[in-house]
């Protein structure tokens, strides 16, 4: 209803303006006609087509005005409403079993993400936002394509060296120490409070010290990643190892199972959701830690180095290109771990229910 009423107001203002393109008028008129949904139910794909038509009409209208008029912003609001409504109705159809989740379930986040990027593009261009404040996605994409060699070199320095090395060492050490702590109540009482304390230390305090200890190249950044990922893995693994119930442990003792047999056949499988939870949390912490650590000393390469230097040069589009690469790399890293979790913990209720 709101989208239809917004379309009516958009149509009136566009007609009064007198210079609105025909395509924009057609979008507003079609949106206004959706008010008949109160008499005649409309399928969700009608809203999707209206959102697509609105996107094309908005892009066609942008070059005609130095600063976008009021009807343009109402049209943008209508576009967002139809995009949101189509995604919401598609989600409801999947939930009710009217549409298959395979394929269509993935379509919802893709459409939502594209809609956000489109709104970003239209707002920055329509309101003439200065590039040094917020460049449009098209400008960021153009700079990304022009700077591929630089972005690849920065990605290799930060992600392939610092992040992966520090992540493997930090998570591996945290897991091994958790096994040792589990066997010693003294270590459990002594190390876990220290772990909570160290995990609360600010990264901007750790990074300069690691640079002084390990130098300006990637080992110092990997050391920061180790410090950030060690204790989340330690705390989660120790908590997971206590998930096996006493009845299950008594059953293993009845079978005369040793400590290591009980650990590998009962307690570690029960702790797997906790371990993978730590791995997923650390996948984002590792990338953040490596990038921030590069602010405090690094060779003339790396994502953090590029962000800090290009901000000073007001090359904000390159900064956003680096952020985009980091976001994609971090999301892919998280996704790979989530897929491995599904394969390993297929027995867990959250995976059986379709959530990881």
């Amino acid at each position: 209803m709101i989208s239809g009423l917004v379309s009516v107001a958009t149509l009136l203002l566009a007609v009064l303006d007198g210079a609105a393109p025909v395509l924009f008028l057609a979008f507003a008129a079609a949106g206004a006609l959706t008010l008949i949904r109160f008499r005649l139910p409309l399928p969700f794909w009608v809203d999707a087509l209206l959102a697509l038509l609105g996107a094309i009409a908005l892009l066609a209208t942008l070059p005609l005005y130095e600063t976008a008029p009021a009807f343009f912003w109402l049209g943008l609001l209508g576009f967002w409403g139809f995009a949101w409504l189509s995604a919401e109705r598609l989600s409801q159809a999947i939930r009710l079993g009217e549409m298959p989740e395979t394929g269509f379930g993935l379509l919802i986040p893709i459409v939502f993400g594209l809609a956000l990027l489109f709104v970003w593009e239209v707002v920055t261009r329509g309101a003439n936002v200065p590039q040094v404040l917020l460049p449009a996605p098209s400008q960021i994409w153009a700079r990304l394509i022009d700077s591929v060699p630089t972005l690849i070199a920065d990605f290799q320095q930060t992600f392939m060296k610092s992040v992966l090395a520090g992540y493997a060492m930090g998570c591996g050490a945290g897991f091994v120490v958790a096994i040792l702590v589990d066997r010693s109540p003294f270590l459990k009482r002594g190390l876990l409070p220290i772990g909570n304390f160290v995990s609360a230390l600010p990264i901007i305090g750790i990074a300069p010290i690691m640079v002084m200890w390990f130098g300006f190249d990637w080992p110092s950044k990997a050391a920061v990643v180790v410090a950030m990922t060690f204790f989340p893995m330690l705390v989660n693994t120790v908590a997971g190892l206590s998930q096996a119930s006493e009845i299950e442990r008594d059953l293993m003792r009845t079978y005369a199972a040793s400590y290591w047999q009980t650990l590998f056949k009962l307690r570690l499988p029960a702790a797997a959701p906790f371990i993978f939870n730590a791995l997923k949390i650390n996948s984002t912490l590792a990338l953040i830690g490596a990038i921030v650590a590069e602010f405090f000393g690094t060779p003339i390469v790396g994502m953090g180095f590029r962000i800090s230097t290009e901000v000073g040069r007001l090359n904000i589009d390159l900064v956003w290109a680096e952020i985009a690469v980091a976001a994609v790399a971090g999301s892919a890293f998280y996704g790979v771990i989530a897929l491995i979790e599904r394969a390993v913990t297929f027995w867990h209720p959250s995976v059986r229910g379709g959530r990881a």
Side-chain angles (χ1 to χ4, degrees):
M1 177 179 179
I2 295 177
S3 299
L5 293 176
V6 168
S7 297
V8 171
T10 303
L11 180 61
L12 292 176
L13 289 179
V15 170
L16 291 175
D17 182 86
V22 176
L23 187 60
F24 194 94
L25 294 173
F27 161 65
L33 289 176
T34 60
L35 289 174
I36 66 171
R37 72 173 72 241
F38 296 102
R39 294 284 185 177
L40 178 66
L42 299 176
F44 75 89
W45 56 263
V46 171
D47 297 312
L49 286 178
L50 278 172
L52 179 60
L53 177 61
I56 298 173
L58 289 167
L59 289 177
T61 308
L62 268 176
L64 303 179
Y65 298 89
E66 184 176 350
T67 300
F71 73 82
F72 179 88
W73 300 114
L74 279 177
L76 178 61
L77 183 61
F79 155 80
W80 179 258
F82 287 119
W84 184 288
L85 186 59
S86 62
E88 178 67 25
R89 296 183 63 191
L90 177 59
S91 176
Q92 183 179 9
I94 293 174
R95 187 167 57 251
L96 296 176
E98 299 173 359
M99 301 291 293
E101 184 174 1
T102 304
F104 286 97
L106 186 62
L107 186 63
I108 295 174
I110 292 175
V111 170
F112 187 75
L114 291 176
L116 285 177
L117 288 176
F118 178 80
V119 171
W120 179 358
E121 175 79 19
V122 169
V123 169
T124 50
R125 290 176 57 188
N128 288 323
V129 178
Q131 183 178 350
V132 295
L133 294 181
L134 184 64
S138 58
Q139 295 173 319
I140 297 171
W141 176 256
R143 188 57 183 264
L144 191 151
I145 296 300
D146 292 338
S147 306
V148 168
T150 300
L151 295 173
I152 291 177
D154 293 340
F155 174 79
Q156 291 175 340
Q157 174 71 17
T158 301
F159 191 87
M160 302 302 293
K161 294 180 180 179
S162 303
V163 172
L164 292 183
Y167 181 84
M169 290 186 291
C171 292
F175 179 79
V176 171
V177 173
I179 300 298
L180 299 177
V181 166
D182 181 69
R183 298 211 67 182
S184 172
F186 170 76
L187 290 178
K188 183 180 294 187
R189 294 190 182 95
L191 276 181
L192 290 184
I194 296 176
N196 293 328
F197 172 77
V198 174
S199 62
L201 293 177
I203 184 176
I204 58 174
I206 299 174
I209 297 174
M210 295 301 179
V211 170
M212 294 175 61
W213 286 358
F214 298 101
F216 286 92
D217 209 348
W218 67 267
S220 59
K221 318 309 178 291
V224 173
V225 174
V226 170
M228 294 187 66
T229 58
F230 175 82
F231 289 103
M233 174 59 74
L234 171 64
V235 172
N236 277 273
T237 304
V238 170
L241 289 173
S242 63
Q243 291 304 299
S245 65
E246 287 296 329
I247 295 177
E248 293 170 328
R249 297 187 190 187
D250 287 341
L251 178 63
M252 296 299 291
R253 285 192 288 268
T254 302
Y255 292 147
S258 65
Y259 169 82
W260 295 107
Q261 288 175 323
T262 303
L263 178 68
F264 286 108
K265 295 183 178 181
L266 172 63
R267 303 183 66 202
L268 279 180
F274 289 81
I275 295 172
F276 277 103
N277 186 52
L279 289 173
K280 290 188 291 186
I281 292 173
N282 285 342
S283 67
T284 56
L285 288 178
L287 186 58
I288 294 171
I291 291 176
V292 173
E294 289 180 346
F295 291 174
F296 298 93
T298 183
I300 55 173
V301 66
M303 292 181 176
F305 165 79
R306 197 72 56 195
I307 290 172
S308 62
T309 56
E310 298 304 327
V311 164
R313 298 174 181 174
L314 297 182
N315 292 328
I316 307 301
D317 51 353
L318 182 54
V319 172
W320 277 99
E322 290 281 359
I323 293 173
V325 172
V328 171
S331 300
F333 194 19
Y334 184 96
V336 168
I337 296 171
L339 289 176
I340 297 174
E341 179 186 18
R342 280 181 174 272
V344 174
T345 61
F346 58 89
W347 48 269
H348 196 264
S350 65
V351 177
R352 294 202 308 268
R355 300 180 302 275

